[in-house]
Amino acid sequence: MTDPMPAPIPRAHGQFRFQITVKGPSARILSRTLRKLVQEAGLGEDLTAVIDVDAMSFM
């Protein structure tokens, strides 16, 4: 896992964007685990988390 860093387009639609890269042996297990963590984190109404499994590009 990498530290959070600004996305290649750091601000879009009035929102700041950051990305974290997480690697694992199975996309299915990784996706399931990350979705559960995001749900349990209770991000609040002003934050959104998007999980992109097997991202082709970070743009």
Side-chain angles (χ1 to χ4, degrees), residues 35-53:
R35 289 182 199 283
K36 184 177 179 182
L37 287 171
V38 168
Q39 288 175 346
E40 290 175 0
L43 296 178
E45 295 179 19
D46 58 337
L47 295 176
T48 302
V50 176
I51 299 170
D52 185 2
V53 177

Side-chain angles (χ1 to χ4, degrees), residues 9-50:
I9 302 172
R11 188 173 175 140
H13 306 287
Q15 297 178 339
F16 291 98
R17 303 169 65 226
F18 291 86
Q19 65 185 24
I20 299 171
T21 302
V22 180
K23 295 180 181 181
S26 167
R28 179 176 289 152
I29 293 170
L30 191 57
S31 177
R32 190 178 309 141
T33 302
L34 289 173
R35 289 182 199 283
K36 184 177 179 182
L37 287 171
V38 168
Q39 288 175 346
E40 290 175 0
L43 296 178
E45 295 179 19
D46 58 337
L47 295 176
T48 302
V50 176

